[in-house]
Amino acid sequence: DSVIPLRIPFWERLPVTPSGLLILMIFAPVLAAAASRQSSTVPVCRGVSLSASYLAAIGPSQIPGFEFSLINSTDRMIRLQRPVPTSSHWYALTGGRWLWRASNGAGGSLADATNERSRLVVYRNSQSGGSAGSFVVQPHETRRWLETEIENPVLAYKPGCPLCSYPGERDYRVIFAYAYLPPQSEDAGGLLSCGIRSGPVPMPPRKQADDHPTGSWSSSEGEEPLGGDQLDPSQPAPRSGVPRE
């Protein structure tokens, strides 16, 4: 989530001259596309929350992943399109401040990065019929599942380049988000029309390695989950992957 500067757009500062009009004509298609993307936002859901905890080893392959908890505190059923979450946003502790370092996936970024309660940029599928399917959460129900970046690639930390991982930074947090709409030509089919963002999920210290340019998460035997809300023990044990109907 990059900071959106509050300033007058450059095209409003162009002089009314032939050269200024030429520049505006050249950039008009780009500006129109950007405006269209910015208008594709949804509000943050009320009564629907997502939380997660990091796990050092999941499943037979014993690879790192997350335990997710999706709580529907409303009086109505909600339907979400897979994958959930649709994006991840990574922050590192630097000089006492949490600074953005990378995002992965689409849908769930803050439309105004200076406002944590901002509307969320939505991922609108360009293809009809989501092949991943959807799942339902009943009123006042909690759904839990385990997932790794193999099942959902957006869970991976992917800085833009090896140097973008800022060697020396060890303390990271990740925020998971969901904001999805089907193609405009397709009926929403009761899909959730608002977006969700989790709270910051603590990660173990990140270590640098010559054979892993972007680093890897430190782990130890018997490591307990990091962060996340305490889950209701009366709920069924979580399964790998988003639960199907």
Side-chain angles (χ1 to χ4, degrees), residues 165-209:
S165 61
Y166 296 88
E169 294 179 343
R170 289 173 49 83
D171 297 324
Y172 284 78
R173 290 181 177 179
V174 57
I175 292 176
F176 295 108
Y178 171 90
Y180 174 89
L181 288 176
Q184 292 183 343
S185 60
E186 186 176 312
D187 180 61
L191 286 173
L192 192 67
S193 59
C194 51
I196 311 169
R197 278 175 71 92
S198 74
V201 179
M203 298 293 295
R206 192 158 188 83
K207 58 183 179 182
Q208 302 294 323

Side-chain angles (χ1 to χ4, degrees), residues 90 100-104 156-169 172 206 208-209 212-216:
W90 302 80
W100 175 86
R101 286 295 178 252
S103 290
N104 190 4
Y157 171 67
K158 285 190 174 181
C161 63
L163 291 179
C164 299
S165 61
Y166 296 88
E169 294 179 343
Y172 284 78
R206 192 158 188 83
Q208 302 294 323
H212 206 300
T214 61
S216 59

Side-chain angles (χ1 to χ4, degrees), residues 109-143:
S109 297
L110 295 172
D112 178 1
T114 64
N115 179 9
E116 293 184 357
R117 297 186 178 182
S118 163
R119 292 173 66 90
L120 304 183
V121 177
V122 71
Y123 168 61
R124 187 180 286 275
N125 195 354
S126 60
Q127 300 179 352
S128 299
S131 59
S134 62
F135 68 96
V136 164
V137 184
Q138 298 295 336
H140 305 289
E141 182 183 58
T142 298
R143 303 297 293 267

Side-chain angles (χ1 to χ4, degrees), residues 16-223:
V16 184
T17 63
S19 60
L21 292 176
L22 178 61
I23 294 174
L24 185 58
M25 290 175 63
I26 292 173
F27 283 95
V30 177
L31 298 174
S36 176
R37 287 195 298 270
Q38 290 177 359
S39 65
S40 297
T41 63
V42 293
V44 176
C45 295
R46 293 185 178 182
V48 180
S49 61
L50 177 69
S51 61
S53 297
Y54 173 82
L55 296 176
I58 292 178
S61 300
Q62 292 293 283
I63 61 175
F66 296 88
E67 181 177 45
F68 289 97
S69 174
L70 180 63
I71 302 175
N72 178 13
S73 300
T74 72
D75 294 326
R76 59 184 178 84
M77 178 193 75
I78 60 173
R79 180 183 296 274
L80 293 87
Q81 180 73 26
R82 297 188 185 90
V84 179
T86 55
S87 65
S88 62
H89 309 273
W90 302 80
Y91 299 81
L93 182 62
T94 302
R97 300 174 60 196
W98 290 99
L99 302 179
W100 175 86
R101 286 295 178 252
S103 290
N104 190 4
S109 297
L110 295 172
D112 178 1
T114 64
N115 179 9
E116 293 184 357
R117 297 186 178 182
S118 163
R119 292 173 66 90
L120 304 183
V121 177
V122 71
Y123 168 61
R124 187 180 286 275
N125 195 354
S126 60
Q127 300 179 352
S128 299
S131 59
S134 62
F135 68 96
V136 164
V137 184
Q138 298 295 336
H140 305 289
E141 182 183 58
T142 298
R143 303 297 293 267
R144 298 184 298 161
W145 68 95
L146 306 178
E147 200 159 47
T148 72
E149 61 188 69
I150 293 178
E151 294 89 19
N152 188 354
V154 309
L155 305 187
Y157 171 67
K158 285 190 174 181
C161 63
L163 291 179
C164 299
S165 61
Y166 296 88
E169 294 179 343
R170 289 173 49 83
D171 297 324
Y172 284 78
R173 290 181 177 179
V174 57
I175 292 176
F176 295 108
Y178 171 90
Y180 174 89
L181 288 176
Q184 292 183 343
S185 60
E186 186 176 312
D187 180 61
L191 286 173
L192 192 67
S193 59
C194 51
I196 311 169
R197 278 175 71 92
S198 74
V201 179
M203 298 293 295
R206 192 158 188 83
K207 58 183 179 182
Q208 302 294 323
D210 294 338
D211 60 344
H212 206 300
T214 61
S216 59
W217 306 115
S218 302
S219 61
S220 58
E221 287 295 324
E223 185 172 6

